[in-house]
Amino acid sequence: MRIEVCCGSVEDALIAETCGADQIEFTTSMSLGGLTPSYGMFHLLKERTQIPAMVMVRPRESGYYYSQLEREVMLRDARYFVEHGAEGIVFGFLRADGRIDEEACKQMMEVIGPAQAVFHRAFDLVPDPYEALEQLIRLGFRRILTKGQKNTLEEGQALMDQLRVQAKGRIEFISGGVREHNLWWLKEIVKPEQVHIGAFTLQEDPTMSNHPQIFFGTEGKSAETHYQTVDRDKLQRIINILRA
């Protein structure tokens, strides 16, 4: 079983590598679903780790229908990461109606060349997943990260099983939603070839306690006193069980 760990910092990546992950999805702002990491983060990652990195290219939160300028930013970011050693790029383009934007995807595929192309959980928003699957296969994607258009892996597993049958090995699926409570079911019943682990904990930034009434984002939208990091102990437990 190939194990990928979602990492929002270089520190997270070092933990994932130490715990025995096969590769990482490198991103930032995990509480927003993951955004493009900075060039500085990426360079330090390559200097300090040996683990393969699938780099998220997503310029903003909230959906996957992008303006022309946003697309240009994404293409430039992807080109930079690949030229500097990224093993893969994680991205997704949707049209306003939620269907795959094939033209935008083709442009990205040309940019990243032989690097691995991973279509992320934008797949879980498409209106017809069977049609979308065929589109992604035609485009040449290596794998799809999905929870089967549900919020949990258990709820989405029926669709994922159907998609695997349809795909007939033409594309890989990586299962999101791996948690400690579903590991036995995952190993013994589902038996996926690849899994995507988000083993997070909350860290508190002490400076935020000085004036807790002050907001730097949208008031009431989310707590600003904490941020997510990989939980070393939780991740090690999960990987040990999956490897056993």
Side-chain angles (χ1 to χ4, degrees):
M1 181 186 298
R2 189 166 184 81
I3 297 175
E4 177 180 275
V5 176
C6 182
C7 297
S9 68
V10 177
E11 289 87 349
D12 286 351
L14 288 166
I15 291 172
E17 186 173 52
T18 300
C19 288
D22 295 303
Q23 65 188 37
I24 65 167
E25 179 190 74
F26 195 53
T27 182
T28 188
S29 301
M30 293 184 292
S31 63
L32 301 178
L35 301 178
T36 307
S38 72
Y39 294 173
M41 288 175 62
F42 179 71
H43 278 287
L44 191 58
L45 172 80
K46 299 303 290 185
E47 290 175 9
R48 300 293 178 86
T49 69
Q50 300 297 316
I51 194 166
M54 308 296 124
V55 183
M56 173 77 78
V57 173
R58 184 176 179 230
R60 59 162 169 83
E61 61 183 304
S62 184
Y64 307 98
Y65 175 58
Y66 300 115
S67 69
Q68 184 58 43
L69 287 176
E70 287 172 328
R71 291 182 186 183
E72 290 182 23
V73 168
M74 294 173 71
L75 294 174
R76 291 192 183 200
D77 281 339
R79 180 178 290 110
Y80 184 90
F81 292 134
V82 170
E83 289 178 349
H84 290 84
E87 285 79 10
I89 300 296
V90 184
F91 68 98
F93 291 103
L94 299 181
R95 295 170 18 177
D97 62 4
R99 297 174 64 194
I100 304 293
D101 187 332
E102 290 198 44
E103 186 56 39
C105 288
K106 287 178 182 177
Q107 292 176 357
M108 181 65 86
M109 299 295 276
E110 291 175 0
V111 164
I112 68 177
Q116 298 180 39
V118 183
F119 199 89
H120 55 42
R121 288 197 62 210
F123 184 85
D124 287 342
L125 298 179
V126 300
D128 185 339
Y130 307 102
E131 175 190 51
L133 173 61
E134 296 300 329
Q135 289 176 289
L136 297 180
I137 291 171
R138 287 198 304 270
L139 287 163
F141 277 85
R142 172 76 171 269
R143 69 178 65 88
I144 301 170
L145 172 62
T146 177
K147 291 184 184 179
Q149 299 202 320
K150 300 293 183 181
N151 285 318
T152 68
L153 181 57
E154 293 91 328
E155 293 174 308
Q157 191 58 45
L159 175 60
M160 292 181 67
D161 288 341
Q162 294 170 9
L163 292 171
R164 284 192 176 93
V165 170
Q166 177 181 333
K168 297 179 180 178
R170 294 175 294 163
I171 196 169
E172 300 171 7
F173 294 88
I174 183 165
S175 301
V178 177
R179 301 291 184 266
E180 287 184 281
H181 72 267
N182 62 21
L183 290 178
W184 182 90
W185 169 78
L186 191 73
K187 282 187 62 178
E188 302 300 325
I189 305 300
V190 179
K191 300 179 180 179
E193 295 180 354
Q194 304 182 50
V195 294
H196 176 89
I197 301 173
F200 305 132
T201 188
L202 291 177
Q203 299 287 347
E204 183 176 11
D205 187 315
T207 61
M208 294 301 295
S209 63
N210 294 331
H211 295 284
Q213 75 280 9
I214 294 177
F215 287 85
F216 295 92
T218 303
E219 182 174 1
K221 184 175 181 180
S222 61
E224 295 189 346
T225 57
H226 292 78
Y227 59 98
Q228 287 184 323
T229 64
V230 168
D231 185 321
R232 180 190 296 272
D233 292 339
K234 182 188 296 185
L235 178 62
Q236 191 66 76
R237 287 195 303 271
I238 291 174
I239 290 180
N240 287 347
I241 291 171
L242 291 175
R243 297 289 193 208

